[in-house]
């Protein structure tokens, strides 16, 4: 059985960078499942489809051909042969990803692909439903969170670094809106699995969070030499 680690949590909790850090330390794959929903959202936007039109979005899911490839251990997310990794981090795609991910027909297809990847290799998956739906038997499950204000502050600082001057108040508003959508959708809404360990990173450095998770993994799987 490959090693499987599940990390879930709301937007801006630091999941992606923490997951990258843990996966690098353990020398295992990191599957950013949000990137898959984002790639589909990009396809939906490009094709002029309304993300709120369930039947049309599910039809896109069949056509979009979302794929994941690893190059030197780093995930590349593709639509067919096109590498869209650099195009899926915009605000427009974020909002559309949140919208398209609420359709059951989309989720079942994404979950199928994610399970397939996790079955083949030691993998850490991060997302919203990994511990509650994708890998309910994962031996290590983490729910990573922080206060909305701290998450918005981190997101704001990240965006400023990239030259995006969206005001903090707007970042916080958009983050709260995405939380609402992700936590209240009908199918596998974002919530902590009963057997997940909750880590509140509000007052922790990224290194402290990585160390905490590594210790949990070692408790379950033993120390990797
Ligand atoms: O983690 P992220 O911000 O890249 O995710 C983008 C959107 O995709 C997010 O609003 C919710 C959705 N998502 C999901 O529903 N299930 C996942 N496992 C990962 C992401």
């Amino acid at each position: 059985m490959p090693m499987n680690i599940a990390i879930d949590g709301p937007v801006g909790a630091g999941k992606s960078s923490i997951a990258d850090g843990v996966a690098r330390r353990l020398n295992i794959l990191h599957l950013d499942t949000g990137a898959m929903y984002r790639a589909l959202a990009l396809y939906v936007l490009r094709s002029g489809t309304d993300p709120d039109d369930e039947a049309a979005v599910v039809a896109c899911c069949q056509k979009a051909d979302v794929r994941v490839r690893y190059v030197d251990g780093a995930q590349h997310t593709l639509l067919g042969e096109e590498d869209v990794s650099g195009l899926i981090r915009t605000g427009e795609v974020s909002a559309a990803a949140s919208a398209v991910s609420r359709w059951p027909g989309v989720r079942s297809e994404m979950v199928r692909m994610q399970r397939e990847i996790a079955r083949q290799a030691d993998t850490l998956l991060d997302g919203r439903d990994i511990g509650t739906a994708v890998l309910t038997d994962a031996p290590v499950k983490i729910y990573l969170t922080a206060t909305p204000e701290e998450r918005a502050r981190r997101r704001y600082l990240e965006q400023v670094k990239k030259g995006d001057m969206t005001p903090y108040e707007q970042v916080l508003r958009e983050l709260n809106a995405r939380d609402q959508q992700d936590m209240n959708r009908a199918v596998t809404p974002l919530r902590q699995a009963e057997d997940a360990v909750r880590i509140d990173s509000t007052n922790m450095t990224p290194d402290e969070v990585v160390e905490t998770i590594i210790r949990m993994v070692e408790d379950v799987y033993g120390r990797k030499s």
Side-chain angles (χ1 to χ4, degrees):
M1 280 274 282
M3 177 192 279
N4 282 162
I5 302 170
I7 302 186
D8 290 303
V11 55
K15 286 189 312 277
S16 272
S17 56
I18 297 297
D20 255 345
V22 172
R24 223 175 303 119
R25 280 273 298 275
L26 297 171
N27 197 21
I28 64 175
L29 296 183
H30 164 209
L31 178 61
D32 170 0
T33 61
M36 299 170 70
Y37 290 94
R38 285 171 179 273
L40 173 64
L42 179 65
Y43 182 94
V44 165
L45 291 172
R46 278 178 172 176
S47 65
T49 305
D50 178 0
D52 293 330
D53 182 340
E54 179 174 7
V57 170
V58 173
C60 281
C61 197
Q62 305 303 322
K63 286 181 261 167
D65 193 13
V66 174
R67 302 181 194 176
V68 168
R69 191 170 290 160
Y70 289 89
V71 180
D72 296 331
Q75 175 176 335
H76 290 251
T77 311
L78 293 87
L79 286 176
E81 281 302 321
E82 182 191 1
D83 189 339
V84 295
S85 310
L87 303 174
I88 56 175
R89 301 288 156 193
T90 64
E92 193 191 11
V93 173
S94 300
S98 186
V100 303
S101 67
R102 71 193 200 278
W103 303 126
V106 167
R107 301 204 70 79
S108 56
E109 180 56 16
M110 293 293 176
V111 168
R112 189 191 62 72
M113 285 193 277
Q114 292 156 13
R115 284 185 181 145
E116 186 59 27
I117 294 167
R119 204 173 54 79
Q120 291 178 15
D122 291 343
T123 313
L124 181 159
L125 288 81
D126 91 73
R128 302 289 192 290
D129 62 337
I130 310 303
T132 53
V134 181
L135 299 176
T136 48
D137 293 338
V140 180
K141 287 187 189 177
I142 291 127
Y143 188 83
L144 184 62
T145 189
T147 61
E149 291 72 20
E150 174 61 15
R151 292 188 282 122
R153 193 185 69 84
R154 292 175 188 170
R155 185 50 53 102
Y156 169 76
L157 292 176
E158 246 173 49
Q159 292 183 349
V160 167
K161 249 198 253 162
K162 289 192 220 151
D164 176 347
M165 301 310 285
T166 308
Y168 168 81
E169 294 305 331
Q170 186 180 334
V171 175
L172 178 61
R173 243 192 340 268
E174 287 173 1
L175 180 136
N176 280 325
R178 276 227 276 157
D179 277 359
Q180 281 307 310
Q181 178 137 288
D182 294 345
M183 289 173 180
N184 293 305
R185 66 170 175 239
V187 192
T188 51
L190 169 65
R191 63 178 53 124
Q192 181 175 348
E194 267 173 30
D195 52 351
V197 173
R198 187 182 188 88
I199 299 178
D200 184 333
S201 72
T202 305
N203 296 308
M204 293 171 82
T205 65
D207 281 350
E208 285 170 339
V209 179
V210 169
E211 279 309 321
T212 305
I213 297 172
I214 294 282
R215 278 198 300 274
M216 285 171 56
V217 174
E218 286 175 352
D219 281 348
V220 172
Y221 284 103
R223 190 177 287 270
K224 269 204 136 191
S225 54

